[in-house]
Amino acid sequence: SQTIHQWPATLVQPVGSPLSLECTVEGTSNPNLYWYRQAAGRGLQLLFYSVGIGQISSEVPQNLSASRPQDRQFILSSKKLLLSDSGFYLCAWSVPGGADNEQFFGPGTRLTVL
Amino acid sequence: AQSVSQHNHHVILSEAASLELGCNYSYGGTVNLFWYVQYPGQHLQLLLKYFSGDPLVKGIKGFEAEFIKSKFSFNLRKPSVQWSDTAEYFCAVNAIHDMRFGAGTRLTVKP
């Protein structure tokens, strides 16, 4: 069966510091991968998605970036964190070419920028 | 661009009460519709989904939702809620990679 992992689970970082959040998927090949941010009372906002290694689409311009160095690995990064980057970050995957485009979510990383 | 509106931010019910959470979306093309639930301290998980066929969709734990194309709605219902249904509920609309979520509705069920 497929599983999705995210780490760290929680992170507290100072403003201006770099960020690296990791997501890995097991049990499937060539998944579509997604990064979301969940802010209180604002639902989930799609940040990036990827349909293959090295292929990244950005939905919202900001100081975050994403990379997909391996088929089942998706990384969210920042060179300099802002206070507004605080939030709950979710990684998700879906079956490529899936008929219903259902997405499966990881446990999330809670990021607090001080 | 597509968008999703959830009408209620916080709903408080007593056990055995009936539930209906509203969801409206705006998108001109073919979409897939989802309700996800996030129980306290747990992953976001799928409650039910619609992508074709019968517009009345049944999901896990006694939930159902009805897709009304003319109203661009996909409301979630449950005839009798339980304390364990306390969670946050998200409606989502997906056209290929473009998954859009509503702001969520927090449901609190009093025992």
Side-chain angles (χ1 to χ4, degrees):
Chain A
S1 64
Q2 300 88 2
T3 54
I4 178 169
H5 305 279
Q6 286 186 247
W7 63 90
T10 60
L11 189 60
V12 180
Q13 291 283 94
V15 169
S17 64
L19 172 74
S20 181
L21 303 182
E22 191 163 340
C23 170
T24 59
V25 180
E26 296 176 357
T28 187
S29 296
N30 196 31
N32 299 320
L33 296 171
Y34 307 84
W35 276 112
Y36 290 88
R37 177 167 56 206
Q38 183 180 8
R42 295 177 60 184
L44 280 76
Q45 180 186 37
L46 179 64
L47 302 175
F48 301 95
Y49 71 87
S50 171
V51 299
I53 295 173
Q55 300 178 61
I56 309 293
S57 295
S58 173
E59 289 296 306
V60 183
Q62 53 200 310
N63 70 318
L64 298 172
S65 63
S67 62
R68 185 169 178 175
Q70 299 180 45
D71 181 42
R72 288 168 289 177
Q73 185 185 32
F74 205 24
I75 297 172
L76 183 69
S77 305
S78 174
K79 292 182 180 178
K80 281 188 173 183
L81 283 168
L82 306 172
L83 285 174
S84 57
D85 292 324
S86 292
F88 192 54
Y89 289 83
L90 288 166
C91 182
W93 71 275
S94 69
V95 175
D100 57 11
N101 302 314
E102 178 182 349
Q103 294 183 14
F104 303 89
F105 287 84
T109 295
R110 185 161 302 283
L111 172 66
T112 303
V113 182
L114 302 175
Chain B
Q2 55 196 28
S3 64
V4 181
S5 297
Q6 290 185 241
H7 308 149
N8 312 98
H9 291 298
H10 191 187
V11 173
I12 302 173
L13 297 173
S14 298
E15 275 194 315
S18 64
L19 169 73
E20 181 159 4
L21 301 182
C23 173
N24 285 90
Y25 68 94
S26 64
Y27 186 69
T30 301
V31 294
N32 301 315
L33 300 160
F34 305 84
W35 276 97
Y36 283 88
V37 60
Q38 191 169 33
Y39 297 104
Q42 294 189 28
H43 294 205
L44 198 66
Q45 57 186 281
L46 183 71
L47 202 55
L48 50 77
K49 61 187 178 185
Y50 170 83
F51 61 99
S52 66
D54 189 346
L56 184 61
V57 179
K58 295 194 183 298
I60 60 171
K61 303 186 180 183
F63 286 91
E64 65 178 31
E66 185 175 12
F67 169 50
I68 302 179
K69 190 174 181 179
S70 61
K71 295 184 178 180
F72 295 90
S73 71
F74 190 55
N75 292 354
L76 181 71
R77 299 193 293 249
K78 185 171 184 178
S80 176
V81 295
Q82 300 171 312
W83 175 79
S84 58
D85 292 324
T86 294
E88 190 150 17
Y89 293 80
F90 295 93
C91 181
V93 173
N94 193 359
I96 310 178
H97 299 296
D98 195 6
M99 180 82 97
R100 304 282 169 161
F101 284 82
T105 297
R106 184 172 299 279
L107 172 66
T108 301
V109 180
K110 295 180 177 178

